[in-house]
Amino acid sequence: MSRRKTRKSLPEFSRREFLKTVGAAAPTVSLMEGGAGEPLRANSGPDTDGDGKFTPIDLSGYYNSSSKEFGPRPKAAFVGGESAKDSLIRVPGGKRDMQGVPFLLGPEDLDSKSWIVLSTKSGSTATASVEIPVARQANFICLTSFCDFDPNEAPEPGQDVFQNVGQHLADVTLIYDDGVTHVLPIRRRYETNSIIEPWGHLSFLAMNAGKLRSSKLTDPLPSGMGWGNLQQSVAGGGPGRPAIGYFWVCALENPDPEKTIHAVRLEAAGEDAVVVGGLTLYHRSVYPLRNEPRAIYRITLPEAAASDASRWKLSLDLGFVGRTFPLPEFDVQQWLRAPAAGLGERWPLGAESEKYLYAEIIANVNAMLTLTDNQTGKEFNFDLSKVIPGSELPAAEGSGSIEIVESGRRWVHFRVVDGETKRPTPVRVALRSKEGRYIPPYGHRTEINDGWFQDYGADVKLMDTSFAYVDGTFQVELAPGEFYVEMTKGFEHNAVRQRIEIQPGQREMALEIPRFANLRAKGWVTADTHTHFLSPTTAVLEAQAEGLNLINLLAAQWGDLFTNMGDIPYGPLLSADRESMVWVGSENRQHILGHIGLEGVRGQPVLPFSSDGPSESYLGDPVRSSMAEWADVCRERQGLSVAVHFPYPTGEIAADIVLGKIDAVEVWPQDDPKVHPSVIEEFDSLRYLDWYHYLNCGYRLPAVAGTDKMGAYMPAGTNRVYAYLGEDEFTFPNFAKAVKSGNTFATSGPLLMFRADGRVPGAQIMMGAGGGTIEVVADAQCFVPIHRLEVILNGKVVASREELAGARAIHLAENVRVQGPGWLAARCSSRSGPTTNWYFKIAAHTSPVYVDVPGRELFSPEAAAYFLNLIDGCQSYVETLGPRPDAEAYARIRKVYTDARDALHRRMHQHGVAH
């Protein structure tokens, strides 16, 4: 083929020299921020950011059109910004990296000639053909371009058309020194595309200029989809900055890379225009736009400061960086031996862990990874093509090194069986690498969002320890090697920590979780009386994995937000084996008067869910109802009224207990570690003391327990109640009956049994006027060590046993002298934990066995005075600060407090207490 133009030799591309001329043409955009068309950046190391991989070609002498000359395009207005006003096309310009490929683009202003427009259409500034001298060898020719819009992507009504996918728009002809030519096509939605494409119209062989990146849940909210978008943990792509169109980058393979390319001819195939913005030669054998699957690398830092997230930045020329993170030191033997498996842990960074930064790398095999020290400005470069598994590669600059810690993953399918039944069983599971990195099962998050009302999927994060809920089977992509598994399933199975080895080619693995107790077989059921936000089906899975028979999922109002309201009409949801149930009730709330759980309600929910303004109701709502009224409706509809997160808010609860409106109180083993650092003092917290005060005044209140789960920081059932059904069928009415009978214990771990003279909690012991001796027997066992077991009489310890080293089971049997009416209960605690961000300590407490003496009533004048203060305070609020409802509702609410006050006054009078 004939061709000859004067050609001049192109110098070896040096990005450092190239960048000396960049100046301030555009603001610098970090590669980690993702942007299309990032301005090219200088590096400190030799042969940087490409290592001689690229030769950008200066096309400025061949530009034939400006944006204004190209003319407006109606669809360009959809880009936004100034294009929305004038419909002119705006794309990046200057010296730019696009998908890691450096390009010399024309100016960005609308008047300068910046593009080569190819078209056979007459009467335009376009050209049908242009030949560009190259005089270089190359493996690939990289083009950045866009084409005109396809009218068939938005046909007129009545038109029957096909989209012009694959339309031949232009040719790139490689002209070799020996006269041989090779033609490479440019086709719509293959090698090029329009500056903005409808959803689902990406290119098959070209990428838009913006690099992808990993985002964090703590990043600023993105525009558009906002919070939902941020939870994907992926950002970037697109044009890389707002109100600008795309250039599309393609790489055309040269079939004869050993030959010198004399010139590249760009030639239109028809009237539909193609706009070329830049051309760059690539001098490596592997396709430059294809990245390898994600791998985990460990970078040994030049200085041990991995926790300083702002100091270090990683960037790639070809590819992109996912998550970067330090890892705490993972002492395998200590972790395996630790007695508190399943509780979650804090993972502080130690001196050793500060040396290493881990990164998810999605890179081309010829990529260069650059570590930038933002404190000193130094850069350290790693040629990833030279990294060999099992060895470290030092940085080109001599400080720091890099190694692969995970690559070559394959699917491994796991099956978890119950040690007793040998059947698959749902569990809470965590898989860790030998470095301690959490590896979630497929379908579960790596970065778990433990914020309020933000992530209510089947994941949980206990302090710094992540877990996934699985149904007994799960699959994970793993490379051969050693891993560490942690599994737990409620309070009747041993938590498992074990080392596993994945062999090359292994695709399946079986795991077993042993059971040490089966209270269900003995007539007990266990429930979390208080959760929020979960979908009922996810709640069933969590119930099964946590060994729960019942989850009470409480719909609620939070200002103008209503949660789980749409789940109420469908009634309870049961697992396939009918051993786990989710019942959607409601938590009805008022910020001063208090909160109440209305559980197992049949028919319509008890409305309104909230009253009297934020943070429970909406602005300006009146005090529509008392908690006592809500409790009455709940009982009419066969429900259970529970004083949730007892005793807070400390308001109307006093009146409701005095009036007999409360079926059970929800006790929590929660305490502020700054106030009560000792686990034994946990039972001195107000959450227990207020319960004791009511019991000491003769009000019989069974204990239940719930978590108030409102986020992924809390596993369902971390605090739960066990209730004795005996031979009764497991239904909610039978559960409610069991709670009301009083044979329950609240627990955050221990299984606690108690008898007094052979009677179980909820029962009564009749004693003579002179009192007597009662034999008490308490037994506690737990999946973590427990340290103290106590029997209390009227809130005071009368018998105890302590295991300083901790024991999985403690037994206590003693005779206790009782002088008069009262109540007896057992409680136990562990120094393990605390668990969850709410500082739940590991403890359990039974409901009381009651001691009756004819003619004598248990009564505490001090407690009664305290209750009166609460009742008076609530009435004062309703009469003064509270927004008034209608006169009838107002009178009903006031009557609750006057009736409670009168009832308490009568009792005080009977006991000779002045008031």
Side-chain angles (χ1 to χ4, degrees):
M1 179 172 284
S2 166
R3 48 97 187 118
R4 273 292 171 259
K5 283 190 179 180
T6 304
R7 75 187 192 198
K8 61 181 179 180
S9 176
L10 294 174
E12 180 76 20
F13 172 60
S14 165
R15 192 164 290 194
R16 183 184 289 106
E17 294 301 317
F18 178 62
L19 288 165
K20 289 180 179 177
T21 63
V22 171
T28 299
V29 179
S30 160
L31 286 179
M32 281 292 288
E33 293 169 351
E38 296 97 338
L40 292 168
R41 302 170 303 121
N43 290 323
S44 62
D47 229 359
T48 61
D49 208 14
D51 192 24
K53 292 193 285 283
F54 298 106
T55 303
I57 305 299
D58 185 356
L59 302 181
S60 59
Y62 304 91
Y63 295 148
N64 59 13
S65 181
S66 67
S67 177
K68 285 185 177 179
E69 290 171 330
F70 188 70
R73 299 294 193 270
K75 290 184 180 179
F78 292 114
V79 171
E82 292 299 313
S83 294
K85 303 173 185 177
D86 56 24
S87 295
L88 293 175
I89 290 176
R90 291 166 172 83
V91 288
K95 300 174 180 180
R96 297 272 169 179
D97 268 353
M98 293 187 170
Q99 293 298 337
V101 181
F103 288 101
L104 292 168
L105 305 178
E108 285 191 7
D109 68 90
L110 302 177
D111 297 297
S112 299
K113 291 188 184 295
S114 303
W115 307 333
I116 299 174
V117 179
L118 301 172
S119 173
T120 60
K121 188 175 183 179
S122 60
S124 69
T125 60
T127 184
S129 178
V130 61
E131 190 169 305
I132 301 160
V134 171
R136 290 292 300 269
Q137 291 178 334
N139 295 77
F140 292 84
I141 289 80
C142 301
L143 284 182
T144 182
S145 67
F146 65 85
C147 62
D148 219 337
F149 293 95
D150 179 3
N152 289 356
E153 288 179 352
E156 296 295 328
Q159 281 188 306
D160 184 4
V161 297
F162 292 98
Q163 297 177 56
N164 289 309
V165 179
Q167 179 189 2
H168 185 196
L169 297 171
D171 287 315
V172 176
T173 301
L174 307 183
I175 306 170
Y176 300 107
D177 260 356
D178 60 7
V180 176
T181 62
H182 183 78
V183 179
L184 301 163
I186 303 296
R187 297 161 292 177
R188 185 187 299 276
R189 282 196 60 200
Y190 278 75
E191 292 81 11
T192 194
N193 210 337
S194 53
I195 63 161
I196 181 172
E197 89 287 343
W199 183 83
H201 288 68
L202 292 171
S203 293
F204 300 116
L205 295 176
M207 302 177 70
N208 58 46
K211 278 196 175 184
L212 296 171
R213 65 175 178 85
S214 176
S215 62
K216 295 182 178 180
L217 297 173
T218 52
D219 286 350
L221 290 182
S223 60
M225 296 175 71
W227 174 240
N229 226 21
L230 192 60
Q231 291 198 91
Q232 298 179 58
S233 299
V234 177
R241 49 193 235 252
I244 195 166
Y246 303 171
F247 263 129
W248 293 85
V249 181
C250 72
L252 307 174
E253 187 171 9
N254 177 9
D256 289 312
E258 301 302 321
K259 290 185 178 182
T260 298
I261 301 172
H262 168 71
V264 173
R265 181 187 303 132
L266 307 177
E267 190 168 9
E271 291 191 353
D272 287 350
V274 174
V275 176
V276 175
L279 186 154
T280 293
L281 306 180
Y282 181 61
H283 308 292
R284 296 290 186 274
S285 61
V286 177
Y287 184 68
L289 301 182
R290 181 176 61 246
N291 298 321
E292 295 299 300
R294 183 181 65 253
I296 306 296
Y297 286 73
R298 181 170 71 180
I299 298 99
T300 302
L301 297 172
E303 183 178 335
S307 61
D308 187 352
S310 64
R311 179 170 177 180
W312 307 103
K313 181 173 66 176
L314 287 173
S315 57
L316 279 162
D317 56 355
L318 296 176
F320 48 92
V321 178
R323 296 178 179 89
T324 60
F325 49 93
L327 283 176
E329 295 169 39
F330 184 51
D331 186 325
V332 168
Q333 294 307 316
Q334 181 179 344
W335 181 83
L336 289 170
R337 292 192 304 265
L343 297 183
E345 296 164 291
R346 298 286 182 191
W347 293 81
L349 289 176
E352 184 68 18
S353 55
E354 290 282 3
K355 297 178 181 179
Y356 306 111
L357 185 66
Y358 292 82
E360 297 174 339
I361 300 297
I362 304 93
N364 185 272
V365 294
N366 291 313
M368 181 72 75
L369 178 70
T370 299
L371 171 69
T372 303
D373 184 343
N374 291 324
Q375 182 173 301
T376 65
K378 292 182 179 179
E379 293 186 346
F380 306 89
N381 294 283
F382 304 94
D383 184 345
L384 297 188
S385 68
K386 298 178 181 178
V387 180
I388 300 171
S391 63
E392 292 187 48
L393 174 73
E397 294 72 19
S399 295
S401 61
I402 191 170
E403 60 184 308
I404 300 175
V405 297
E406 180 194 80
S407 64
R409 301 184 305 275
R410 296 292 183 271
W411 288 114
V412 180
H413 297 260
F414 288 83
R415 184 171 180 263
V416 183
V417 298
D418 185 290
E420 184 175 273
T421 66
K422 306 303 180 183
R423 295 176 182 172
T425 189
V427 294
R428 170 161 44 97
V429 65
L431 190 67
R432 293 179 177 84
S433 70
K434 63 182 180 181
E435 299 83 20
R437 175 175 51 87
Y438 175 62
I439 305 172
Y442 181 77
H444 296 263
R445 294 191 63 103
T446 299
E447 183 185 10
I448 297 175
N449 180 356
D450 60 357
W452 184 89
F453 193 59
Q454 292 180 7
D455 189 345
Y456 27 92
D459 300 284
V460 69
K461 187 175 182 181
L462 278 171
M463 285 92 79
D464 295 327
T465 307
S466 298
F467 291 92
Y469 288 110
V470 298
D471 66 357
T473 61
F474 62 97
Q475 63 185 68
V476 193
E477 279 190 296
L478 298 175
E482 66 179 277
F483 298 90
Y484 295 85
V485 173
E486 183 171 11
M487 296 186 297
T488 184
K489 185 180 175 70
F491 299 163
E492 299 176 38
H493 287 75
N494 288 315
V496 171
R497 283 182 173 178
Q498 68 182 77
R499 179 187 184 276
I500 62 172
E501 183 84 20
I502 303 298
Q503 301 297 329
Q506 184 174 356
R507 296 292 178 265
E508 294 183 352
M509 175 164 283
L511 302 171
E512 183 172 304
I513 186 164
R515 187 169 197 145
F516 69 90
N518 190 344
L519 268 63
R520 182 73 186 95
K522 297 178 180 179
W524 292 84
V525 293
T526 181
D528 185 333
T529 55
H530 189 176
T531 67
H532 293 288
F533 305 156
L534 292 168
S535 75
T537 50
T538 299
V540 169
L541 173 62
E542 293 200 18
Q544 292 179 296
E546 294 291 353
L548 288 162
N549 302 109
L550 173 65
I551 284 182
N552 286 288
L553 181 57
L554 303 185
Q557 178 184 0
W558 323 77
D560 196 38
L561 170 67
F562 294 83
T563 56
N564 293 110
M565 184 73 174
D567 298 317
I568 294 175
Y570 299 96
L573 187 65
L574 283 162
S575 60
D577 62 4
R578 305 187 70 81
E579 284 298 312
S580 292
M581 176 193 300
V582 174
W583 195 297
V584 184
S586 64
E587 182 181 357
N588 292 41
R589 311 181 313 137
Q590 202 276 351
H591 63 290
I592 295 290
L593 305 182
H595 297 188
I596 186 170
L598 308 179
E599 304 177 2
V601 171
R602 295 183 176 270
Q604 292 297 310
V606 182
L607 303 177
F609 287 159
S610 295
S611 74
D612 185 14
S615 59
E616 278 77 358
S617 188
Y618 185 63
L619 294 165
D621 287 342
V623 184
R624 293 176 172 134
S625 177
S626 65
M627 293 205 304
E629 292 177 275
W630 283 328
D632 288 342
V633 178
C634 172
R635 286 175 166 179
E636 289 169 7
R637 298 177 186 174
Q638 304 175 52
L640 189 73
S641 61
V642 175
V644 292
H645 41 66
F646 180 84
Y648 304 124
T650 48
E652 190 190 310
I653 186 65
D656 296 336
I657 289 175
V658 167
L659 295 175
K661 307 289 186 181
I662 300 299
D663 294 318
V665 297
E666 189 178 273
V667 296
W668 281 21
Q670 184 189 40
D671 204 4
D672 185 342
K674 297 177 183 176
V675 177
H676 288 146
S678 168
V679 69
I680 305 305
E681 292 176 341
E682 160 59 24
F683 296 109
D684 295 331
S685 75
L686 287 176
R687 292 188 179 277
Y688 287 96
L689 292 180
D690 267 27
W691 182 34
Y692 296 172
H693 293 153
Y694 286 103
L695 293 172
N696 287 341
C697 227
Y699 299 108
R700 297 187 172 182
L701 297 165
V704 295
T707 55
D708 200 6
K709 175 182 173 69
M710 293 182 284
Y713 55 82
M714 179 71 71
T718 301
N719 190 37
R720 65 182 67 182
V721 61
Y722 277 81
Y724 185 71
L725 264 63
E727 297 298 321
D728 288 346
E729 180 187 2
F730 172 45
T731 64
F732 192 93
N734 285 338
F735 168 76
K737 182 178 74 172
V739 168
K740 292 175 183 178
S741 74
N743 191 1
T744 69
F745 64 90
T747 178
S748 55
L751 308 176
L752 181 57
M753 300 295 157
F754 177 63
R755 289 179 181 268
D757 272 356
R759 285 152 173 97
V760 297
Q764 297 87 33
I765 298 173
M766 297 299 298
M767 298 200 70
T773 299
I774 294 176
E775 181 189 34
V776 295
V777 178
D779 285 282
Q781 57 179 332
C782 190
F783 69 98
V784 297
I786 45 180
H787 297 83
R788 189 173 178 87
L789 176 61
E790 300 173 331
V791 172
I792 52 174
L793 170 64
N794 298 346
K796 305 298 182 184
V797 178
V798 291
S800 66
R801 181 174 173 188
E802 191 164 5
E803 294 282 351
L804 294 177
R808 292 283 302 275
I810 304 180
H811 172 77
L812 184 155
E814 288 194 24
N815 292 319
V816 174
R817 178 68 183 173
V818 177
Q819 302 292 339
W823 55 274
L824 288 154
R827 66 191 193 187
C828 65
S829 58
S830 169
R831 293 191 179 93
S832 299
T835 186
T836 82
N837 287 335
W838 283 15
Y839 293 99
F840 278 8
K841 294 185 177 179
I842 309 305
H845 205 304
T846 69
S847 291
V849 175
Y850 300 100
V851 179
D852 292 338
V853 175
R856 295 177 63 185
E857 182 185 51
L858 186 63
F859 187 77
S860 166
E862 297 83 5
Y866 169 62
F867 304 154
L868 273 179
N869 275 326
L870 293 177
I871 293 167
D872 289 344
C874 288
Q875 183 168 344
S876 298
Y877 173 79
V878 168
E879 292 176 346
T880 53
L881 286 176
R884 290 282 175 91
D886 61 80
E888 182 180 352
Y890 177 64
R892 286 198 313 269
I893 294 167
R894 285 189 73 253
K895 190 174 185 299
V896 171
Y897 310 122
T898 57
D899 286 354
R901 184 184 298 104
D902 290 345
L904 198 52
H905 280 168
R906 286 193 295 273
R907 292 196 65 205
M908 295 172 76
H909 179 73
Q910 292 168 3
H911 289 273
V913 179
H915 52 81

